[in-house]
Amino acid sequence: AFNGTWKVDRSENYDKFMEQLGINVMKRKLAEHDNLKVTIEQSGDKFHIKESSTFRNKEIDFTLGVPFDYTMADGTELTGTWEMDGEVLKGKFNRKDNNKVLTTTRTLVAGELVQSYNYEGVDAKRTFKKQ
Ligand code: MYR
């Protein structure tokens, strides 16, 4: 059900979230307009993700429950795991530089893909429309 190409439509509190991550104001301004597009191909518990934005194009493979490394667009390295909880994808990642936890979820709401983010007490949300 997550399969498809999803284009970011709107963000909530994303600037505050990035600020909490320590991303400087110039990068945050650019990131607000990153035109993020995520293509998700799921087969069983394996996912292939194509991420495209004004920053980069990147492909990621992971298996539910199996830890993997991911580098954020600002260069921050994470390691962690996605798991499925009912209809919700739940991700728990640790920053490699300070070991702090970043959690994220993906869920389908009324035909849109909603991704939530939390880092050190700050929540954000980005909503994607199917292309
Ligand atoms: C994926 O499933 O798309 C790959 C793994 C994603 C890991 C967590 C993503 C957190 C992204 C935070 C963006 C911070 C702003 C630069």
Side-chain angles (χ1 to χ4, degrees):
F2 291 102
N3 283 345
T5 296
W6 301 91
K7 196 174 184 315
V8 71
D9 181 62
R10 56 198 186 276
S11 304
E12 284 172 40
N13 215 41
Y14 194 54
D15 184 69
K16 280 278 183 301
F17 168 73
M18 290 187 288
E19 185 177 14
Q20 187 75 336
L21 282 165
I23 297 169
N24 74 43
V25 64
M26 275 184 54
K27 287 184 186 165
R28 301 207 303 273
K29 291 292 167 214
L30 295 173
E32 283 280 353
H33 305 281
D34 61 358
N35 287 320
L36 180 60
K37 217 165 74 177
V38 178
T39 299
I40 301 177
E41 294 164 15
Q42 178 184 6
S43 76
D45 58 0
K46 292 196 188 308
F47 283 73
H48 181 66
I49 309 270
K50 286 180 201 149
E51 177 187 313
S52 95
S53 72
T54 53
F55 294 113
R56 61 181 182 177
N57 294 310
K58 189 178 171 63
E59 306 208 12
I60 305 122
D61 286 287
F62 63 85
T63 300
L64 293 176
V66 179
F68 65 100
D69 292 341
Y70 175 78
T71 304
M72 302 194 316
D74 73 322
T76 303
E77 294 180 30
L78 306 177
T79 183
T81 309
W82 281 110
E83 298 194 77
M84 193 71 88
D85 182 0
E87 307 276 274
V88 182
L89 268 171
K90 291 191 175 169
K92 187 166 180 254
F93 295 86
N94 286 82
R95 278 176 72 143
K96 288 189 178 180
D97 58 350
N98 65 10
N99 211 41
K100 287 184 176 172
V101 175
L102 187 160
T103 56
T104 178
T105 66
R106 286 188 173 124
T107 183
L108 295 171
V109 181
E112 295 182 316
L113 177 73
V114 178
Q115 183 158 8
S116 74
Y117 307 85
N118 176 277
Y119 181 73
E120 291 288 300
V122 178
D123 287 303
K125 193 160 98 173
R126 303 192 92 185
T127 301
F128 298 75
K129 286 191 182 299
K130 200 159 192 171
Q131 288 233 293

